[in-house]
Every structure is written in structure tokens, then in C-alpha cells.
Amino acid sequence: PCDDGDPSTLQDVVDENCICTGTPMVTSFPYSQDFDSLSGFSGTYSGRNRWVRSSAIGNPAPSLYITNEEAIYHIPDSSYAYHYDDMFLYDQTNAVVYKAISFPATADSLLLSFDWMCLGNVTDRLRVGLLPFVHNPSPNAIYNSDFANVSGDLYGQTSWTHAIFTLPASFIGQTAWLMFDWYNEVGGAVQPPAAVDNIQICAHNTWYGDADGDGFGDPAVVTTTCGYQQPTGYVANALDDCPTLPGR
């Protein structure tokens, strides 16, 4: 492994020029991340509390979660506490982890799912969304007018909850930062903070049955896939007027 000198980078890799950098963007689907290995996400922070991939919590462990210890210790893959601070001014936090996603132009729809937990409160919460790739994924990027808040504010859960969100169709064929943002103010911490596991992104494609093998699909026989994997006996169009007669 390499170290780019930035302790907020959750995984560093060496590029083709032997330069230590962040992680490659997602270009194939379905994309899944269960955090059993290094996450491929990078992070940016203001304040003490930070995201880590570690083993204090998970569905199952390890997972990605907020801790008040990483900013102090910087110990790779240690078992950081699942706990946050908000007693002092420097404890006010915007902590963002992000990954570049290149969504295919062939997709009919985009679906994001993940498991999450966060008790928190109305000011200490998790927020998940997409930021166009042209912008810098900074701690304040969620306040950018182009940021698409997919999840709303997530809090009030002390057990793992499975969430599914349809991503805006405007991101089909575009590249964006997938961002998980934790924000907490000073005073009134309600443990535990945010934790995330089992992320999946589907780029759904619709296929139509081609029973007569003429290359035209039957609009009445439909299936979908999570990526661009064409099922046997299906095509991408629905142009078959006579599904039992080839060529018509």
C-alpha cells in the first residue's frame, strides 16, 4: 500500500505513473461495497469527528462509521470507537466520504441502496447525495446548489435500516461524486452517530423478450438487470409487432 500523506484518505492506490493517489472511479455495475476490504472511498473533513472503515460496528462488521478517535490516532484499520464528540467548538463537524461514479448512458434508471444506523438528532445527522464531478467534494459541498440530496436527513435509528433511493435521471450518462455526509453541531450529542454498510448501485436496464429470435423485442415480455448484462433471449428494443412471427 502507499500513503499520500493525507490521513483523511481512507484508501490510497498507485496510479499508472507510480504516483500515490485516490481510488479509481466506478465504471461497471452493479457496484457493491461491504467494507470487508479497503473501502475505495476518500474523505474530507472540518472538525474532529471523522469517517473510518473499522470493526466496532457493521452489518456485519467492518463498516464505515463516524468516530471521535481517528483525528487523534491515525492508526490504519484499528478498532475505532463508534462515538462522536460535540462538547467544544472544534467538535462541530462536517465529515464527507466520497467516490467518483461514472453512470452509463445506457441505463434506464439508477438505484442506490445501503444499510445505515444513526440516532443523532435533527442537527446531528447523515445525508447522502450526488455532486457533479466538475465540483470539488469539500466538507461544504453539500451546500452547493448542484448537490442532489437523495436521502434527506437520516437519524433516529439505533438498529440497521435498509434504504433504497432512486437517483435523479439527470445523472444518467454523467459522472458524479457519491457523497456520505455527517454533520453535528456543538452540544447535545445523541449516540450513536452515523454508520453505513452494504452499499450497492444499480444501473437498471430494461430488456424485452425475443422468442422468435428476429432481434425485435416483445413489449409484453419485460425483465430488468442491475447492469448492462443482456439476458439470453432478450433485446434492448420493444419493436416486435408479432412476437411469434420472425421479422414482423
Side-chain angles (χ1 to χ4, degrees):
C2 66
D3 184 356
D4 66 0
D6 180 359
S8 69
T9 303
L10 299 184
Q11 181 183 357
D12 303 320
V13 297
V14 178
D15 68 12
E16 66 274 11
N17 297 313
C18 297
I19 296 174
C20 190
T21 183
T23 55
M25 70 174 61
V26 174
T27 58
S28 62
F29 299 87
Y31 165 73
S32 298
Q33 177 56 258
D34 61 11
F35 300 103
D36 286 349
S37 58
L38 291 178
S39 72
F41 281 78
S42 295
T44 180
Y45 310 91
S46 64
R48 177 174 179 176
N49 304 303
R50 300 191 175 190
W51 291 97
V52 290
R53 170 198 167 268
S54 195
S55 57
I57 191 72
N59 193 31
S63 68
L64 194 67
Y65 59 87
I66 291 293
T67 184
N68 61 345
E69 293 184 340
E70 198 276 341
I72 301 172
Y73 301 118
H74 302 312
I75 305 171
D77 289 324
S78 69
S79 184
Y80 292 106
Y82 179 39
H83 185 93
Y84 75 107
D85 288 336
D86 73 343
M87 293 181 61
F88 304 104
L89 184 60
Y90 59 77
D91 293 330
Q92 182 169 328
T93 299
N94 244 0
V96 176
V97 286
Y98 57 89
K99 187 169 183 63
I101 313 290
S102 181
F103 296 107
T106 56
D108 299 313
S109 62
L110 305 171
L111 203 67
L112 168 68
S113 64
F114 55 90
D115 298 336
W116 69 277
M117 188 188 328
C118 172
L119 184 52
N121 54 46
V122 69
T123 61
D124 300 1
R125 51 87 188 124
L126 170 66
R127 187 178 289 174
V128 185
L130 296 172
L131 181 71
F133 193 69
V134 295
H135 297 295
N136 179 31
S138 69
N140 294 318
I142 64 163
Y143 305 115
N144 188 304
S145 60
D146 288 337
F147 176 78
N149 181 359
V150 173
S151 67
D153 292 346
L154 301 179
Y155 60 91
Q157 293 291 338
T158 57
S159 59
W160 286 106
T161 301
H162 188 63
I164 303 176
F165 299 102
T166 299
L167 302 179
S170 58
F171 284 96
I172 294 174
Q174 305 297 316
T175 299
W177 301 105
L178 172 63
M179 302 175 64
F180 289 80
D181 172 75
W182 162 257
Y183 177 80
N184 69 265
E185 293 190 347
V186 176
V190 183
Q191 309 292 345
V196 174
D197 207 351
N198 302 317
I199 300 169
Q200 184 177 73
I201 300 175
C202 280
H204 277 294
N205 287 271
T206 303
W207 306 93
Y208 302 90
D210 183 21
D212 55 12
D214 61 0
F216 299 108
D218 181 352
V221 181
V222 181
T223 190
T224 61
T225 57
C226 195
Y228 199 80
Q229 299 90 23
Q230 182 172 356
T232 301
Y234 286 80
V235 293
N237 68 77
L239 301 176
D240 205 333
D241 295 325
C242 299
T244 60
L245 296 176
R248 300 180 63 183

